[in-house]
Amino acid sequence: VVITTGTFLGGEIHIGLKAFPAGRKGEAASIGLSKSLKDAGFRLGRMKTGTPPRLDGRSIDYSQMPRQLGDMPPTPFSFVHDSVPYADKQIMCYQTRTTPEAHEIIRSNFDQSIHIRETVRGPRYCPSLESKIKRFSDKQSHVVWLEPEGLAEHTDLVYPNGISNTMPEEIQLQFLRTMPGLENVIMTQPGYGVEYDHIDPRELKRNLETKRVSGLYMAGQINGTTGYEEAAAQGILAGANAGLAAAAATNNGKSEPPQLVLDRSDGYLGVLIDDLITRGVEEPYRVFTARSEYRLSSRADNADLRLTRRASALGLVRDSQRLARLDSVESDMAYAQTLLEQMSMSPNAWEARLGEGTQVCRDGAPRSALDMVRMGFLRDNVWDGARDPENVQVAKPRTRTQPQWAMRPSVSDLVSGWADLPVGIRRRVITEAMYHGYLKQQRMEVSSFKRDENMRLPTDIDYSQIRVLSREEVDKLSL
């Protein structure tokens, strides 16, 4: 069983001074489950979050707002796709800002919201508008992104990102209409705050199974994280492990079922889980690149290389075409690296080809194109390009006003067959080459980390008998 209660576990919605049980506007909260978890011995905490009002896009004047263009071409989230549906129908987002008048309206009505109380912690990194005004009182305005919730033929709703708040409805409409472009806006739903229960994530194992109840898994905000990506990632891992455990039980397996367990060196989900189960939470947890010690290795462009075969070994990936595609990627990358290694010249020849300002160590040893990329002398043009006003990629002309390295020939100019390779393959190989020295060092660090991580401690160890540990350390280790 996987419990993914989101904000519904003991959920209570706040709008102004009104409070009522709900997990989301118009949907009932789960009250009895909190009691059941408490009765089972789980330690529960309380957190809060919020959502902005929803606006009718037809009542917004976009004419004076800066536009926010999407990526062109857009990048798929999945490695099994080369393109994105509706790439030619990307929806424009727009930027507006709060005003000093809006801030004053909210500031003078702080006493009209019960959600502002500090006894329950909210998300630090996407704070409510009330929190921004209190915390950054010197700021005259804050950016607000107007994000349509779907294609125009499907919905007119707009999500104003950046103004989550819990003011009374009439106050919300009042401050909205002080913002540029929203002078006549229609609010279809007010913003609101929600408080909800969560467990202490130190009650969990690395596979997101609870320590107290075998076969019970938890994922998402019930574990003390924020929603969105953090919750979705946990859902994948907990769901996979629950499925593996159920399949093993069905087969009358007496041994421990296989489980998908990720550590800090495997990716950001491993970092998230390790932080949760070892440190606990005091506020809704968010993932940042800075939280990972191995972020150079945990890149979006190599997730398939890092994780797909592990998932396949557990039976979580069974699509033969997907595995064949991964084989093809690995083969293409090896071939691309071979092309770079085979193109080799002396230091003098490289200086002559790359032009003025290139100083290669004149030790007589030939250097391959791969060596030159690693040393920063040679680059590829796969990242060149700029978006024109009509959202179309156009090549940047090379001019004398650009940095010197931009005037040099690229890999495509020098290495035969390189330009014929897929752009994605070229980018991956160049990225690996540019960070080669750092990645080599990081692989050594990961190896040392793995040795420590593989040391297993008895689950029944009595930490109070280890005299060198402080009382605080004993308390944390004994959870």
Side-chain angles (χ1 to χ4, degrees), residues 116-337:
I116 298 177
R117 61 193 178 194
E118 296 297 329
T119 54
V120 178
R121 300 295 294 270
R124 178 191 300 264
Y125 302 103
C126 48
S128 67
L129 185 54
E130 298 101 317
S131 295
K132 289 188 216 179
I133 291 170
K134 290 182 73 174
R135 195 181 305 171
F136 309 108
S137 57
D138 58 318
K139 300 294 183 184
Q140 296 297 303
S141 70
H142 297 284
V143 170
V144 179
W145 295 106
L146 301 180
E147 304 170 352
E149 291 200 353
L151 296 172
E153 55 264 37
H154 296 155
T155 182
D156 295 307
L157 289 181
V158 170
Y159 183 100
N161 194 340
I163 53 171
S164 166
N165 77 97
T166 60
M167 288 285 115
E169 295 181 37
E170 64 276 10
I171 301 298
Q172 292 192 39
L173 186 58
Q174 187 180 347
F175 81 70
L176 280 169
R177 289 183 171 176
T178 69
M179 295 162 57
L182 304 185
E183 293 83 358
N184 300 301
V185 74
I186 296 173
M187 184 175 68
T188 61
Q189 175 183 293
Y192 58 86
V194 57
E195 286 187 6
Y196 57 94
D197 291 335
H198 70 92
I199 67 155
D200 185 335
R202 291 172 293 183
E203 302 254 19
L204 301 171
K205 302 176 186 177
R206 291 191 178 277
N207 59 353
L208 295 184
E209 183 182 18
T210 65
K211 296 175 181 177
R212 293 182 183 273
V213 182
S214 177
L216 179 63
Y217 296 77
M218 296 187 180
Q221 285 162 289
I222 191 173
N223 292 340
T225 70
T226 57
Y228 300 107
E229 295 93 338
E230 287 82 359
Q234 292 173 71
I236 292 173
L237 188 128
N241 286 329
L244 290 168
T250 302
N251 296 329
N252 295 318
K254 296 183 180 179
S255 59
E256 286 291 315
Q259 296 281 269
L260 176 61
V261 176
L262 303 178
D263 64 35
R264 301 185 73 88
S265 66
D266 292 322
Y268 288 101
L269 178 53
V271 173
L272 177 149
I273 291 173
D274 187 66
D275 283 346
L276 289 181
I277 68 175
T278 58
R279 302 179 184 179
V281 290
E282 294 182 353
E283 62 188 28
Y285 179 95
R286 295 217 79 168
V287 169
F288 296 101
T289 54
R291 293 194 191 272
S292 173
E293 302 88 338
Y294 312 111
R295 50 190 173 274
L296 274 181
S297 305
S298 300
R299 305 191 311 272
D301 71 334
N302 67 5
D304 55 341
L305 302 176
R306 288 184 284 116
L307 300 172
T308 303
R309 295 201 188 283
R310 288 186 60 177
S312 175
L314 291 168
L316 301 172
V317 172
R318 300 183 181 182
D319 184 352
S320 59
Q321 290 185 342
R322 183 172 178 182
L323 295 173
R325 186 184 180 100
L326 180 61
D327 289 338
S328 177
V329 166
E330 291 176 331
S331 175
D332 288 348
M333 289 182 66
Y335 174 68
Q337 182 163 323

Side-chain angles (χ1 to χ4, degrees), residues 344-351 360-368 371:
S344 181
M345 292 190 290
S346 68
N348 288 339
W350 275 116
E351 290 183 5
V360 184
C361 180
R362 297 181 181 179
D363 56 3
R367 305 285 197 281
S368 69
D371 294 328

Side-chain angles (χ1 to χ4, degrees), residues 263-266 293-294 297 438-455:
D263 64 35
R264 301 185 73 88
S265 66
D266 292 322
E293 302 88 338
Y294 312 111
S297 305
Y438 299 105
L439 289 168
K440 183 178 179 181
Q441 175 64 31
Q442 196 154 96
R443 280 191 287 271
M444 295 169 60
E445 294 170 357
V446 168
S447 178
S448 176
F449 163 76
K450 293 279 191 185
R451 285 195 298 273
D452 292 340
E453 197 74 355
N454 289 332
M455 181 182 295

